Amino acid sequence: MKFIIAIIKPFKLDEVRDALGALGVAGMTVSEVKGFGRQKGQTEIYRGAEYSTNMLPKVKLEIACSDALAPQVVETIQQSASTDAIGDGKVFVLDLASATRIRTGETGDTAL
Amino acid sequence: MKFIIAIIKPFKLDEVRDALGALGVAGMTVSEVKGFGRQKGQTEIYRGAEYSTNMLPKVKLEIACSDALAPQVVETIQQSASTDAIGDGKVFVLDLASATRIRTGETGDTAL
Amino acid sequence: MKFIIAIIKPFKLDEVRDALGALGVAGMTVSEVKGFGRQKGQTEIYRGAEYSTNMLPKVKLEIACSDALAPQVVETIQQSASTDAIGDGKVFVLDLASATRIRTGETGDTAL
Amino acid sequence: MIRKILCGAGAVGMSLAASTAAFAQEAAAAAAPTVDKGDTAWMMTSTLLVLMMILPGLALFYGGLARTKNMLSVMTQVGAVACLAMLIWVGWGYSMSFGNDFSGETIKQFISNFDKAFLKGVTADSTAATFSEGVAIPEYVFVCFQMTFAAITVALVLGSVVERMKFSAVMVFGAIWLTIVYFPIAHMVWASSGLFFAMGALDFAGGTVVHINAGVSALVAALMLGKRIGYGKEIMAPHSLTMTGIGTGLLWVGWFGFNAGSALEANGSAGLAMMNTFVATAAAALAWMLAEKLAGHKPSALGFCSGIVAGLVAVTPAAGNSGPLGAIVLGAVAAVICYLAVTKLKVKLGYDDALDAFGVHGIGGMIGAIGTGIVYSSALGGPAGEDWVMADQLKTQFLAVITTIAWAAAGTAISITVAKVLTGLRVAPDAEREGLDLAEHGERAYNY
Amino acid sequence: MIRKILCGAGAVGMSLAASTAAFAQEAAAAAAPTVDKGDTAWMMTSTLLVLMMILPGLALFYGGLARTKNMLSVMTQVGAVACLAMLIWVGWGYSMSFGNDFSGETIKQFISNFDKAFLKGVTADSTAATFSEGVAIPEYVFVCFQMTFAAITVALVLGSVVERMKFSAVMVFGAIWLTIVYFPIAHMVWASSGLFFAMGALDFAGGTVVHINAGVSALVAALMLGKRIGYGKEIMAPHSLTMTGIGTGLLWVGWFGFNAGSALEANGSAGLAMMNTFVATAAAALAWMLAEKLAGHKPSALGFCSGIVAGLVAVTPAAGNSGPLGAIVLGAVAAVICYLAVTKLKVKLGYDDALDAFGVHGIGGMIGAIGTGIVYSSALGGPAGEDWVMADQLKTQFLAVITTIAWAAAGTAISITVAKVLTGLRVAPDAEREGLDLAEHGERAYNY
Amino acid sequence: MIRKILCGAGAVGMSLAASTAAFAQEAAAAAAPTVDKGDTAWMMTSTLLVLMMILPGLALFYGGLARTKNMLSVMTQVGAVACLAMLIWVGWGYSMSFGNDFSGETIKQFISNFDKAFLKGVTADSTAATFSEGVAIPEYVFVCFQMTFAAITVALVLGSVVERMKFSAVMVFGAIWLTIVYFPIAHMVWASSGLFFAMGALDFAGGTVVHINAGVSALVAALMLGKRIGYGKEIMAPHSLTMTGIGTGLLWVGWFGFNAGSALEANGSAGLAMMNTFVATAAAALAWMLAEKLAGHKPSALGFCSGIVAGLVAVTPAAGNSGPLGAIVLGAVAAVICYLAVTKLKVKLGYDDALDAFGVHGIGGMIGAIGTGIVYSSALGGPAGEDWVMADQLKTQFLAVITTIAWAAAGTAISITVAKVLTGLRVAPDAEREGLDLAEHGERAYNY
Ligand SMILES: Nc1ncnc2c1ncn2[C@@H]1O[C@H](COP(=O)(O)OP(=O)(O)O)[C@@H](O)[C@H]1O
Ligand SMILES: Nc1ncnc2c1ncn2[C@@H]1O[C@H](COP(=O)(O)OP(=O)(O)O)[C@@H](O)[C@H]1O
Ligand SMILES: Nc1ncnc2c1ncn2[C@@H]1O[C@H](COP(=O)(O)OP(=O)(O)O)[C@@H](O)[C@H]1O
């Protein structure tokens, strides 16, 4: 199994989720994060104090899926999250040693 | 070492933490996330605009532990977080290549 | 490639980011988390109800980097985030199977 | 400074005019009391100040103390029950509290009759008497002013039962409770034929009617409802003390409508009530923080807010019945005792008065009611005359307090029982866990 | 209770004194109307209440309904356009609305002349007449009171166009719209030479001038601006119903400045307006929640807030023109119809009135204006005389409504067009997506 | 419109009555000035408006600008020091500022004596004179009104020292500062025997006493306290501009209590002060945003809020001493200069005035004080008489400003030093980093 972590632009969340749903991805976990990278942020000024943090709001998706499905998941995210503009984000894939569904105790692919 | 990621229902946090404490787990990192899965969310309506996002508030635990302790940690979480209702969440286990304690620079199991 | 997860004290964020920038780390993803460990939290009292949760605000960094850079990243974080006080946090290193830049579809080290 | 019975002077004039010519002349004089526009302006302002205490004041004060998932539920319950109270007030509340006397000697001590139901006979020209001979205010203004008292009192009760009581149950409870508890007690205290009024009980702005009444009812309701799930185990820290802070500020500002407004005129007595409402409150806020410090804790923001409210509650019956120094002492004492009630007593007795409606309003109200019988003394700077006897006054105050407690407790028990039969009273455990915002109202307070 | 033309009594005295000696004496009497300090106190209080409706009231009500990323933009647009309105009011608004008559018979029905531009001739001693013979208030107070009406009305319009309209466009639009829409309509309704005034249209506190006007303008502006990106697809839930709740409370409290203040005196008529503003609103809040329930949904906090505003809007023209029971019915009916407008009509017609300025103020204003022609009837407890004919009144009300709609729509179309030419009107899609707080103001509302 | 010395008319009557019969008669007349209920209503309303400026107004304005971790600390410091000020005011403040004259010719220019300590001799019947011959208000009302001025001024000072000053230090500082700085300056400006009063300095509502005083004291305190850890390096963005926005709105609304209330009557002069307080502020808000634009930045929400406050500060001494157009110019000029002070001067000089108490209140207050000497001119629409000489007035204004600056700076240095000795002044670095909410009060503002 794979554990896929994707960082995307917040307003793309719905699109990505729909695309993954169409692919048969049943679940995912979403969190709000701040991203730091090439994309430059707006400068904020408060009474003369200037902050240009380059920390931009992003959304992180975490998706556990079977090895078989993983390449498609990555591709689907890459395509549906893209705006062709800097700061679109990344998809990272890690190996997942095991997965357990808390409710039933099932493990492996069926737990996802 | 293992890196265990668990998604649980928010009101189960205290119970799980106590159970893990009893097991000897010394530390963990907790974050608020939104979960998307089989469990259906409440429909929200604001002046006729209906939203049923199926994004439910969950809590994510991240626990690094020794290989030996990992199975017990998974089992303890699975048992203490369960309500036998849909949406109880998942436990994922990843391999952890290394761990370092920032304060001391210690690495490996002693860093946890 | 490696996927590095670091838990640090919030007020150290700027220092760590600057140090990593100097090292050539181009990007990272940051989130607010609560840490549970040896460090004891302040007791909060609200009209007689005492809460000492030991859940302390921390910042989590996630950094994907090449295998070559990984040791330096870990060391840099360890040094710049340290205050020699309990609760300074941890650095975890996981293996990263693949990385994709959403904008371009590039993969591997060049995607970082 | 005890309130006289108030009635539409027009109506009075007319009925009297029918009897004799001599009387008619007197009545004509009586029928045309002076309405000073300064008084009217002040009483309209005071009325709005009390409204501001409810919305946004109390809604924020209570809402901030609740957990995020119940914020809207608290605000909506407070607001909706206040709206209901306004409609009921117009319907029969005003008539039951300040209408014409029943002919029965006993019953007229407890309620007035229904002649003024749906504000029958009230017009833009009818007036209500004040404490000064021949000075009146427009009756509509008096109706509005008193209406806001009814509205805030029933909303105060909810402080103990939030985060678990059904919205429908709140509405049913509110309607019954106002009718069988609030209106009678308001009549007893403020109508000249009322029981406590006749006894000579001192209650400038409603310490008995509003605070003891609400506090005791809150306690009974909390006991009947049971504790919140997770009480004592889970963290139930206030979700936004910032909101509680805003609420506190608005409560303080608004309370002057309550206290200085209860003079019914823009005069020196109102000025005295204002003075006392400032200093008693300031003293109470600092005293609560000091008590925390002495108990070995940090002086807290919530302590500051709680002290403010405790001081306001305590000075309510005393506002025009005390000198400033007496008020300062009264406020400080009330704060310390309420602090103990909230932090020690509640823990010991183990009831779940979620937002401490009893601990602050109930206890603070009792201290205030009894304390008023002390600070009234001219020796302490109060306005009592030469021949006033403190022991007698204290007996009266005590009696009024006890009666109020008994009446409120019994009436609340009935109201909650009816609400339980009709609505089930409490939300399902899952709904409680998820939060009443989503479960009862289908919304979230925050979507950041 | 229709407002007469108001003018600096000094000026009047002088011009009249020139004609004949007999007149001069009369004029001298007229030139020294009584200024009651109670009235002055109440009118200053009312003025501040209306200011509080704008800031923080409306800014929070609207801001809470917006998304986090546009919170500051909403607050700033509301505040800045209100400031602009104040300066323009002093510049030419007061003169155009309440100045001296033009000599042209037609034009004087629509605006007054520019003699009082920049408040020429207004001093601390000049006065403005009230509805009672010989009773006046300081003219500065009247200028301030009316100024706040202009300021809130233009701010209300923005409700439909937030989250996408440029700040610069808002300012340009505001300046033109006030001049060609608001000032003329205010003159038509409230000046004795005004068109609607002459027709005998009833509008106690500005239902036509403020609410129909703002609501219709908002609709036209929203149509011309187009929908927000993602409308109907993305989640656009209110970012903080807590803020909307605070705003609602402050709007209610402040609205009494509007409604009871429109009596211009601290008297029984103000008391009646106050009474109605309480009960119509309370009824509307509960009616909206009931409508939700009957439609198969949960009674919501936002429903409660929306009901409050709908009730306030509807009772505005009726405040002193109805009895309390009529007001209750009016409020309840308005709430139900606004509920339908906001949840069904808007969806069907598909326009993006972001914060429902049209659905609540426009529709509610119309119900109120027409309804006032009904509840005015003495049969329903209203203050109409014996020989009043409902059908005639309704015709008049209807005509005033239609004219206002047409005028507001045309004027808004012009104002928006000019704003578009000068500023581009709408922010770039990227800026809209990122949020106007960062894009237009370079700040975030929250840095937790 | 300079304030006369005010005193309990009863007391005056009595002491005079002792001398001669002729005098006694005069005194009897003087002893019974008219108390108009309209004035009383307005002054009570004004008093509450100023309270609302403190809580929740200033607490939110300042709190929103602080970081999340210090929100409660800011609110509690503001609130608690205001409470302390109220108690001290009753204790000796009122007597020192508005009590009876010392017999010493020099000392009586600086403070009055302690005869009225603990409000000795003040009763519900005693009165305080206004500016109009024979018109008075209840003395309690005057005591309350002035009390709120003392309370807000000391709270304003805290703006520069938040996020690092100990709560205990704040309380010690407050008590001393009020006694040695505020009470004397209030006496100098407002008592007829006071230094500035005798000089003929114009200060309608306290520009010198409140704003220059607080601003300069804030600067000195900030310098003595040192910078916050991380200042200039870490992000210290306001945690909630929404809260700052609410605070701004409440400050504006409340400020009318300050400015129009300082007329002490509900009359045309109050109306003028109201007018000016509207337009100067509106102009300042827009001017600040314009200055940002011209400096190449985006017009910001915080700029809007800052402009509002700068305008209010500047118009304070000028409120009844200017025409509306003069006020507009004054507001706009003050906003631009304060903008430069806050964004350029502060950066250049490098002090850490956390919330810009000096940059806005200090600088704005000076512009206002000097500017009042200009806009007073009848040529600019002000109320000055024919024989008024601007140069003389400016010299007087300047002298008053300089003296205030010197007095405030010296007094603050003393007060801060004492606070340092007694409490240590500043929290430990760890506590500062963790935030004063947890470290000093044991709470968090938000538990979402
Ligand atoms: N090395 C990295 N490790 C973890 N997250 C990263 C890394 N680089 C970038 N990111 C995340 O991806 C986001 C987008 O990166 P950025 O460099 O701005 O643009 P792009 O993805 O188009 O190259 C960042 O905001 C950050 O959240
Ligand atoms: N494939 C997945 N990857 C990551 N997280 C998941 C995945 N599936 C479910 N989750 C998380 O687990 C939570 C519970 O899943 P759900 O399908 O609702 O119920 P259950 O765990 O009982 O099967 C989700 O809300 C989500 O946070
Ligand atoms: N086993 C663990 N797994 C995941 N996170 C941990 C673990 N132990 C500690 N942490 C994180 O590291 C933080 C610091 O740990 P703590 O034990 O308090 O101090 P130290 O790092 O100095 O040993 C914790 O607050 C928590 O966020």
Side-chain angles (χ1 to χ4, degrees), chain B residues 2-4 25-30 62-65 100-104 106 110-112, chain C residues 7-9 33-40 54-58 85-90 92:
Chain B
K2 298 290 180 213
F3 193 79
I4 299 173
V25 171
M28 69 180 75
T29 300
V30 178
E62 291 171 297
I63 302 156
C65 69
T100 312
R101 168 173 286 134
I102 288 173
R103 172 165 43 103
T104 56
E106 288 162 283
T110 59
L112 301 180
Chain C
I7 317 289
I8 64 171
K9 286 187 171 158
V33 296
K34 303 252 175 227
F36 174 77
R38 280 169 200 80
Q39 187 191 0
K40 293 290 157 263
N54 290 348
M55 294 282 251
L56 293 155
K58 301 279 170 192
I86 211 162
D88 276 353
K90 318 275 179 190
F92 302 120

Side-chain angles (χ1 to χ4, degrees), chain A residues 7 35-36 38-39 87 89-90, chain C residues 27-29 62 64 101 103:
Chain A
I7 317 290
F36 174 76
R38 282 169 199 81
Q39 188 192 359
K90 319 274 178 190
Chain C
M28 68 179 76
T29 300
E62 291 170 298
R101 166 172 288 133
R103 173 164 44 103

Side-chain angles (χ1 to χ4, degrees), chain E residues 357-400:
Chain E
F358 174 69
V360 175
H361 294 275
I363 301 287
M366 292 176 208
I367 313 272
I370 305 297
T372 299
I374 298 172
V375 296
Y376 193 64
S377 158
S378 58
L380 301 166
E386 291 284 292
D387 50 355
W388 178 81
V389 183
M390 191 187 289
D392 292 355
Q393 186 67 54
L394 280 175
K395 223 169 62 195
T396 309
Q397 298 295 104
F398 201 73
L399 220 70

Side-chain angles (χ1 to χ4, degrees), chain E residues 26-358:
Chain E
E26 233 183 280
T34 326
V35 175
D36 190 288
K37 285 173 157 183
D39 291 339
T40 305
W42 174 240
M43 291 313 296
M44 291 198 289
T45 303
S46 292
T47 303
L48 300 183
L49 287 168
V50 183
L51 175 62
M52 193 168 74
M53 287 176 72
I54 309 173
L55 283 178
L58 188 67
L60 286 180
F61 183 82
Y62 275 178
L65 291 175
R67 286 167 290 172
T68 310
K69 61 185 179 183
N70 296 314
M71 176 66 180
L72 295 179
S73 158
V74 172
M75 291 183 81
T76 311
Q77 290 188 0
V78 165
V81 87
C83 286
L84 184 69
M86 291 175 195
L87 298 179
I88 293 180
W89 180 254
V90 164
W92 56 89
Y94 178 62
S95 194
M96 278 180 70
S97 307
F98 294 101
N100 302 326
D101 278 356
F102 269 108
S103 49
E105 273 310 310
T106 310
I107 188 170
K108 85 178 192 193
Q109 298 188 320
F110 297 98
I111 50 169
S112 39
N113 72 22
F114 291 84
D115 286 359
K116 291 198 169 186
F118 296 97
L119 301 190
K120 217 180 115 203
V122 180
T123 72
D125 296 321
S126 60
T127 59
T130 67
F131 303 120
S132 306
E133 206 57 54
V135 177
I137 55 173
E139 189 170 8
Y140 272 135
V141 173
F142 181 69
V143 176
C144 288
F145 182 62
Q146 282 295 336
M147 180 172 70
T148 56
F149 278 56
I152 197 171
T153 306
V154 64
L156 279 173
V157 179
L158 302 181
S160 71
V161 295
V162 294
E163 303 205 302
R164 58 202 188 283
M165 189 162 167
K166 277 188 184 172
F167 182 65
S168 54
V170 165
M171 300 304 274
V172 170
F173 165 77
I176 300 171
W177 185 88
L178 283 164
T179 306
I180 69 174
V181 178
Y182 184 83
F183 301 150
I185 296 187
H187 179 83
M188 287 188 241
V189 172
W190 284 322
S192 66
S193 52
L195 183 67
F196 302 159
F197 184 94
M199 282 162 42
L202 294 169
D203 187 357
F204 195 78
T208 329
V209 185
V210 176
H211 299 291
I212 300 184
N213 198 358
V216 170
S217 299
L219 177 62
V220 173
L223 289 170
M224 292 180 72
L225 220 76
K227 298 180 194 181
R228 287 167 291 171
I229 295 175
Y231 179 66
K233 275 172 276 167
E234 285 169 33
I235 296 184
M236 293 185 168
H239 93 281
S240 174
L241 284 180
T242 300
M243 291 302 135
T244 298
I246 303 179
T248 302
L250 294 178
L251 283 174
W252 195 359
V253 173
W255 216 289
F256 288 94
F258 230 89
N259 284 8
S262 286
L264 296 184
E265 293 173 67
N267 58 13
S269 167
L272 172 61
M274 178 167 276
M275 187 81 243
N276 287 337
T277 305
F278 269 110
V279 292
T281 309
L286 299 182
W288 189 300
M289 294 181 89
L290 206 65
E292 291 179 313
K293 185 95 190 162
L294 295 177
H297 302 304
K298 293 172 181 169
S300 70
L302 179 53
F304 175 78
C305 295
S306 308
I308 296 267
V309 178
L312 288 165
V313 167
V315 82
T316 297
N321 294 325
S322 171
L325 300 187
I328 290 176
V329 175
L330 185 62
V333 168
V336 173
I337 299 182
C338 288
Y339 169 71
L340 295 172
V342 159
T343 57
K344 313 283 174 209
L345 186 75
K346 187 174 67 169
V347 177
K348 223 165 248 162
L349 299 187
Y351 58 89
D352 179 11
D353 177 2
L355 313 180
D356 292 311
F358 174 69

